[in-house]
Amino acid sequence: MSEFTTLGLAPSLIEALTRNGLTQPTPIQTRAIPLALAGRDVLGLAQTGTGKTLAFGLPLIDRLLAEPGKPAPKTVKALILAPTRELVNQIAENLKTLTNGSPVKVATVVGGQSINRQIGLLQKGNDILVATPGRLIDLMDRRAVDLSTVKHLVLDEADQMLDMGFIHALRRIAPKLGTPRQTMLFSATMPKQMEELSRAYLVNPERVQVTPPGKAADKVTQTVHYMDGKTAKGDKLREILSADMKALTLVFSRTKHGAEKLMKGLVADGYNAASIHGNKSQGQRDRAIKAFREGTINVLVATDVAARGIDIPGVSYVINFDLPEVPDAYVHRIGRTARAGREGEAMSFCTPEDVDLLVQIEKLMKIEIPTASGERPNAANRPSVRNQRGRSAGKSGGGRRGNGGNGSAQKQSKPQSAAPGANNGQAKRRRPRRRTAA
């Protein structure tokens, strides 16, 4: 007997869960679903891979099944916003497995795909719309969608939306939604800005936290390899990959250019690899993920565009070829393994100039990551991150590389022009490199 029956879900949903082999709710689902079914606003915090999508998706579908009538043309009953195309597609795929054969219609709109096709899709009206904020605003500007009927709003991975500057898009979208409405916000981390976001858009929310923010899944084994530079990183990566040639391995690079160069080098050396990053078309990214999921390729090199939204239980290893410059991104990266109760291993490569980034990650995680090889440099013997990168790794903001965004937050927070001078010229030369993130 399914334990989901104790949560108050409709019998048709219980049957759909059983068909998909789901009978045991996760802790976040057990706590969040009854609150959402009661119509409460929910602030959900749980580590990656613990079932947050169904924690909001199941009560959302349940309530829509109980609401009579088809949506009118261009209208939407429930809106789910997510920061990346991959995450939007992943959410929609999970929801569609539960709505097959029901009257609930799920649609997606993301950038990189035909906007005219999406306009036609929205013309029919939809029960649930899963969208990236940028493309949704494009469609709003074309009057292709009417959001005044939205009575359920979900913000998934809201902390990354803040990092990527989507707060400005949210401020444009929210006033167009129906009221009163139910709002649910879910994430694996809880930066201070997200608390402010919850106060602005949630009404008397119930906070559901099943693990401390910033904590990795319990079954992820974490280690760090210390080395001198890029050449040593490449050698160590090939050594690890060669030890288990059939394992699904996700390798993270800080930049788009770095990811592509690394992938091509691996392919040239005979490894079965592909890459996804912001310079790839949506079709290329979808095909690479599909091939990785099916095992056609077993090494996927990615920027932080893949740190969220890839739900592939079979990923055995996550390798941080480059450490992220935003500590929260580390949590989401290593959460791509040890999913659905399985075990996984996360390995990080650290050069002397990266040690300060590692310190920030360990501070967030509240652990010291065990050493697998090499020796950790002493503070007095390593170059500072400021000297190496021209900025401190301890600062926060959307202008960093490696945050999974497209630099939009930086453009909004920096003036468009500055007084001429040597330093300003240096900043102009740096800007294209910052835009190479994800």
Side-chain angles (χ1 to χ4, degrees), residues 159-168 193 254-256 304 324-327 389-415 427 429-438:
D159 55 339
Q160 190 182 15
M161 283 199 275
L162 289 171
D163 285 342
M164 296 171 68
F166 286 140
I167 183 62
H168 304 281
Q193 300 97 316
R254 188 176 295 130
T255 67
K256 294 180 286 190
D304 280 329
E325 291 187 345
V326 178
R389 306 179 191 280
R391 60 187 182 277
S392 171
K395 294 181 181 179
S396 62
R400 290 178 175 177
R401 292 177 294 147
N403 67 352
N406 56 10
S408 59
Q410 177 191 350
K411 289 187 284 186
Q412 289 151 354
S413 62
K414 295 287 186 181
R429 289 193 297 272
R430 281 183 175 276
R431 182 166 296 177
R433 295 183 63 195
R434 286 179 180 160
R435 288 180 179 171
T436 60

Side-chain angles (χ1 to χ4, degrees), residues 350-359 376-385 387-388:
C350 184
T351 60
E353 62 268 24
D354 290 331
V355 173
D356 287 344
L357 299 178
L358 181 65
V359 169
R376 186 168 184 149
N378 294 323
N381 298 330
R382 70 176 188 261
S384 70
V385 174
N387 290 338
Q388 288 292 324

Side-chain angles (χ1 to χ4, degrees), residues 187-356:
S187 184
T189 60
M190 185 68 179
K192 182 178 179 181
Q193 300 97 316
M194 206 169 81
E195 293 183 7
E196 299 170 357
L197 184 72
S198 68
R199 287 195 296 269
Y201 295 103
L202 278 68
V203 179
N204 297 322
E206 287 281 354
R207 178 167 172 149
V208 177
Q209 182 174 327
V210 296
T211 53
K215 185 178 184 299
D218 293 334
K219 294 188 177 182
V220 176
T221 301
Q222 302 175 62
T223 57
V224 60
H225 296 267
Y226 295 98
M227 53 198 67
D228 293 334
K230 283 283 187 183
T231 300
K233 283 185 179 183
D235 292 342
K236 176 60 69 173
L237 176 62
R238 286 160 174 79
E239 175 187 327
I240 293 170
L241 294 177
S242 297
D244 194 349
M245 292 291 288
K246 294 183 179 180
L248 292 184
T249 303
L250 183 55
V251 182
F252 282 101
S253 172
R254 188 176 295 130
T255 67
K256 294 180 286 190
H257 174 74
E260 191 69 9
K261 182 178 179 181
L262 180 58
M263 180 275 293
K264 289 181 177 178
L266 290 174
V267 171
D269 289 343
Y271 295 92
N272 197 9
S275 66
I276 63 170
H277 49 71
N279 280 350
K280 297 282 188 178
S281 70
Q282 187 59 46
Q284 290 173 317
R285 287 156 67 164
D286 290 344
R287 287 191 292 273
I289 291 175
K290 183 175 185 291
F292 188 56
R293 185 187 304 277
E294 295 174 350
T296 307
I297 63 159
N298 65 301
V299 181
L300 185 64
V301 186
T303 56
D304 280 329
V305 73
R308 312 188 196 201
I310 292 185
D311 184 9
I312 302 175
V315 174
S316 298
Y317 304 105
V318 168
I319 298 176
N320 291 299
F321 188 84
D322 297 317
L323 286 173
E325 291 187 345
V326 178
D328 285 345
Y330 175 86
V331 180
H332 294 289
R333 285 181 177 189
I334 68 174
R336 297 311 99 197
T337 187
R339 299 182 74 81
R342 302 188 185 192
E343 296 182 352
E345 188 170 350
M347 293 169 272
S348 298
F349 296 169
C350 184
T351 60
E353 62 268 24
D354 290 331
V355 173
D356 287 344

Side-chain angles (χ1 to χ4, degrees), residues 1 6 12 14-15 28 145 216 298 329 359 391 403 417 429:
M1 181 177 176
T6 64
S12 61
I14 301 297
E15 292 175 6
I28 187 68
V145 61
N298 65 301
V359 169
R391 60 187 182 277
N403 67 352
S417 61
R429 289 193 297 272

